[in-house]
Amino acid sequence: MSEINLQIDGKEVVATEGMTILDAAKSVGISIPTLCHHEKLEPYGGCRICTVEVEVRGWPKLVAGCIYPVEKGLVVRTRTEKVDKIRKVLLEEMLAHAPDSEELKALAQEYGADRDRFEKHPSFCIHCGLCVRYCAEIKKKNAVGFVDRGSNREISFIPEIAAKECWDCKECFPLCPTSALQAAYVLAGALMTPPEEAHSGGCGCSCSCGSAPEKQAG
Amino acid sequence: MDISKIDQIIDKHDGEASSLIQILLDIQSEHNWLPKEALKRVSEKLQVPMSRIQHIATFYKAFSLVPKGRHQVHVCMGTACHVRGAQRVLDTVQEVTGVKSGETDSDLKFSVETVNCLGCCALGPVMEVDGKHHGNIAPSQIASVLNNCE
Ligand code: SF4
Ligand code: FES
Ligand code: FES
């Protein structure tokens, strides 16, 4: 594998092909915040908290450090005014959804994000997809998935699968950056329906969406 | 629901996972919704996890996880139609069908939905019934159009 020389925050870094900016930064002890990144999972690039500034042929550009591959001669800056501002606003938006997440609160402190800037919309989930991807990629159970889209997107367990698989696993719980609460909450609802009766979804209505057991739990 | 019909649809697409959306569309037009039994079958035969099917089926507006009426009525609420009286069109449609936007009547005859711009603003206000556009529609004409539906 060929060596690639680049610069991160003024430091000369030697990386190998296939590494991301995040990997390269880590190798020299420069930390970039991440939320949706997980070493064992496929690259995702969903949360953008790892945004850094890179210079490509003299032009600055903002990229997600966890997925951007290292290039020869790349100049990376991980803490510019612009980068910090982007991270701050992203955190403020996420805090509207998960105001009590310890991980978010710690980052908020570092970036001066105001927890109350946006109207609260406590869905707990920040759509990092860690639970969904972990279940699909590592456990290969696909017990949890996303439903709906845009700001209405939420996670939903498939009750039949959850009732069989989740109780003894729960490995996704500690991954959730907004505390395991949300996952536990939804899961509890899903498990309330025994598999034989689960044909009508978890919500007790006659539709067949198989979703939204969490609505019932609330 | 006839599961062999579902199998036929799946076979028509050679059971390819890459044809998932096309298969769901076919089931949707056959039944006017996506019954859970059908989705289970698709999941098994295509080897696509239910979580992914659920994600897709809830992502696109073309799919419904609850039964829909035999006739789809879309009232355009886009800007151009709005200024030309879309609200009165909608009110009348709701009155004639007896259901609000997003709902289906108990005889499964009509499903009413509002949309934002059907792409033919010059015809506004526009009502679309089963894919047929009714441009420049006056509230007084709506009852007769809808009563023509079986
Ligand atoms: S429930 Fe938690 S882990 Fe799952 S997508 Fe939402 S924030 Fe991420
Ligand atoms: S950590 Fe890079 S986009 Fe989420
Ligand atoms: S606004 Fe109704 S067709 Fe464009």
Side-chain angles (χ1 to χ4, degrees), chain B residues 75-79 114-119:
Chain B
V75 179
C76 180
M77 302 302 275
T79 314
T114 57
V115 293
N116 298 318
C117 195
L118 287 161

Side-chain angles (χ1 to χ4, degrees), chain B:
Chain B
M1 191 196 62
D2 184 1
I3 203 84
S4 66
K5 273 257 176 66
I6 304 296
D7 286 344
Q8 266 174 32
I9 291 174
I10 296 172
D11 291 341
K12 199 178 94 200
H13 295 279
D14 301 326
E16 291 273 358
S18 57
S19 306
L20 175 61
I21 292 185
Q22 207 49 52
I23 291 171
L24 295 183
L25 281 170
D26 285 1
I27 298 173
Q28 171 80 33
S29 62
E30 175 84 25
H31 291 276
N32 285 325
W33 68 300
L34 301 176
K36 179 135 186 188
E37 295 311 312
L39 295 185
K40 264 199 197 137
R41 190 66 158 207
V42 173
S43 168
E44 281 161 22
K45 287 205 135 191
L46 267 52
Q47 296 282 315
V48 176
M50 200 59 180
S51 58
R52 192 158 318 144
I53 294 182
Q54 191 175 273
H55 190 188
I56 290 168
T58 54
F59 187 92
Y60 294 105
K61 281 267 184 128
F63 300 126
S64 172
L65 293 171
V66 291
K68 280 267 169 125
R70 295 187 299 284
H71 302 286
Q72 316 294 323
V73 185
H74 292 150
V75 179
C76 180
M77 302 302 275
T79 314
C81 291
H82 174 82
V83 298
R84 296 184 183 191
Q87 189 58 51
R88 275 187 296 135
V89 173
L90 180 63
D91 290 345
T92 315
V93 167
Q94 291 180 344
E95 213 167 279
V96 174
T97 59
V99 293
K100 289 215 179 72
S101 151
E103 296 177 351
T104 300
D105 62 31
S106 53
D107 302 332
L108 293 183
K109 187 169 179 191
F110 291 115
S111 288
V112 177
E113 209 80 60
T114 57
V115 293
N116 298 318
C117 195
L118 287 161
C120 49
C121 309
L123 297 180
V126 185
M127 169 175 83
E128 192 197 58
V129 181
D130 296 330
K132 187 171 185 302
H133 290 70
H134 298 266
N136 264 318
I137 189 107
S140 59
Q141 302 168 315
I142 289 170
S144 77
V145 172
L146 294 180
N147 289 338
N148 268 335
C149 297
E150 276 309 304

Side-chain angles (χ1 to χ4, degrees), chain A residues 111-158:
Chain A
Y111 291 94
D114 173 5
R115 182 169 168 268
D116 299 315
R117 171 154 177 211
F118 297 111
E119 199 188 318
K120 293 278 176 305
H121 199 289
S123 54
F124 307 107
C125 181
I126 56 163
H127 301 159
C128 72
L130 282 173
C131 55
V132 174
R133 292 180 292 135
Y134 188 85
C135 194
E137 292 175 31
I138 306 283
K139 305 299 289 189
K140 308 226 183 319
K141 298 294 182 205
N142 298 290
V144 58
F146 281 117
V147 293
D148 218 317
R149 61 174 167 185
S151 59
N152 294 324
R153 188 152 69 119
E154 53 184 40
I155 60 156
S156 171
F157 280 79
I158 307 287

